[in-house]
Amino acid sequence: MSETTTDNPQRLGVLGTLVLDTIRHPGARRPVRAWGGIAYALTALDAVLSPGWTLVPVVKIGRDIFGEAAAYVRSFGRIGDMACVRCAGEANNRVELVYSTESERVEVLTGGVPGWSVEELREILPGLDALYVNFVAGWELDLAGARHVRDAFPGFCYADLHSLFLDVADDGRRRPRRLPHGDGWAGCFDAVQMNGDEFALFAGGAADRRGAVEAALAERAAVIVVTRGAAGVELMTARGRDGPVVRRRVPVAEGPAPGDPTGCGDIWGATFCAGLVAGTGTGPAIERANRMARGKLGSSGAEAFRASLSDGRFRCSVSGPRSGM
């Protein structure tokens, strides 16, 4: 993407859901209660977004915590304006995460802030130069909304499909599900992120996934990335719109590390997106995203990770070689 200056900042929309998390780890004396959901992406983007860009949060917040939550969002230094932060009539989303191991967990959702309609997107998208979408709840956009982004938004658009692969049981538990029209969803964005479990649900069997990847890359998608924790990431691109899919594995240089994985995927994706927006090559962007996500393991909750960035406990340079996407 083109260079910008601080005199003429470009606007990166950050669309997702702000969540109040309760995180319970085995053996911990008390749970961690902290901001979660899109808070992780805002934290990463606030730290690594290139000069010349500002953040425009596109977030609906429940009426029960609107004042406190809006003040929290406004506290990030790279916020351009708050015009797309809206008060919803419903109670805000709250999630309880109960870990049985360092990686296995049960997730229970309460609250129900709604997503964004096509009519609302028509109002918001013209004021943005690029868009980062994180499906934190899973209904931030419906498929019609995603297709509107595909057809009407000319700027770069990144999507972490995440909770599109989860439904909600009657008791609020999130359960994995196969995503209907997965290739259609993925084909609505320039770059798409999934983790390994989500990619396994992307279409079904291995042959079906190959077909879904090819179909998505034949539409708008230019890159599909699958994060696999300490095993690194898998990058899929197409050699031309009708060419073969090219797959590349990028390991994590530092190897595995203990800690709280909550939000690591969000931080990875936001950091990778910032690199693509800046015109950094995919290799350096992945390396920086790996470092940021690994650095998050040492803290629980978005505020604690933000503090680790600001007080020097963890640093991640925003510089890197520049090249095309």
Side-chain angles (χ1 to χ4, degrees):
M1 297 190 66
S2 61
E3 292 276 3
T4 60
T5 69
T6 54
D7 295 330
N8 183 30
Q10 296 203 54
R11 294 154 59 90
L12 173 63
V14 182
L15 192 157
T17 302
L18 186 66
V19 177
L20 281 171
D21 279 344
T22 299
I23 306 169
R24 302 181 186 275
H25 284 283
R29 289 188 297 174
R30 57 179 63 88
V32 174
R33 293 184 171 87
W35 295 111
I38 204 64
Y40 290 109
L42 287 170
T43 300
L45 289 166
D46 197 53
V48 304
L49 194 64
S50 292
W53 284 85
T54 60
L55 298 173
V56 179
V58 184
V59 178
K60 292 182 179 180
I61 299 171
R63 67 186 188 283
D64 51 330
I65 63 164
F66 182 78
E68 176 188 5
Y72 170 71
V73 173
R74 193 181 295 111
S75 71
F76 289 97
R78 303 296 297 277
I79 298 296
D81 69 58
M82 295 281 287
C84 298
V85 176
R86 310 282 172 83
C87 183
E90 294 79 4
N92 201 76
N93 293 30
R94 288 169 166 79
V95 169
E96 183 174 37
L97 300 160
V98 181
Y99 283 86
S100 55
T101 68
E102 278 196 349
S103 59
E104 298 295 323
R105 71 190 191 191
V106 173
E107 181 177 343
V108 181
L109 170 69
T110 57
V113 171
W116 297 83
S117 67
V118 170
E119 290 72 23
E120 290 170 316
L121 292 172
R122 288 196 182 104
E123 172 194 349
I124 290 166
L125 292 179
L128 304 175
D129 298 290
L131 180 65
Y132 165 90
V133 180
N134 192 326
F135 287 91
V136 174
W139 52 81
E140 282 81 0
L141 301 177
D142 60 16
L143 188 52
R147 287 171 173 159
H148 179 73
V149 170
R150 178 195 64 192
D151 297 336
F153 185 63
F156 174 76
C157 187
Y158 186 100
D160 181 350
L161 301 188
H162 189 36
S163 291
L164 286 176
F165 297 95
L166 296 174
D167 66 11
V168 186
D170 291 341
D171 62 358
R173 292 191 179 212
R174 307 303 306 261
R175 303 174 301 190
R177 66 158 188 161
R178 179 173 171 174
L179 177 62
H181 312 294
D183 57 341
W185 279 99
C188 290
F189 309 98
D190 296 294
V192 176
Q193 175 186 345
M194 294 170 264
N195 66 31
D197 291 337
E198 292 155 3
F199 185 60
L201 295 166
F202 181 46
D208 292 333
R209 287 199 296 277
R210 283 196 296 272
V213 167
E214 290 169 357
L217 292 172
E219 292 192 59
R220 179 165 179 166
V223 57
I224 296 173
V225 62
V226 180
T227 59
R228 300 186 183 276
V233 301
E234 180 181 5
L235 194 70
M236 288 167 274
T237 58
R239 190 174 289 121
R241 284 302 181 193
D242 298 319
V245 175
V246 179
R247 289 174 166 82
R248 178 163 62 99
R249 292 245 184 200
V250 182
V252 177
E254 298 88 351
D260 182 356
T262 311
C264 285
D266 306 300
I267 286 167
W268 192 98
T271 305
F272 183 56
C273 174
L276 298 183
V277 164
T280 303
T282 53
I286 287 172
E287 291 170 8
R288 185 177 64 173
N290 286 346
R291 292 196 302 272
M292 282 285 282
R294 194 175 191 275
K296 158 63 189 65
L297 289 167
S299 54
S300 289
E303 299 104 305
F305 181 59
R306 187 180 181 186
S308 76
L309 292 169
S310 63
D311 67 12
R313 280 177 286 158
F314 170 68
R315 293 187 183 277
C316 187
S317 171
V318 300
S319 62
R322 303 180 65 79
S323 67
M325 285 173 53

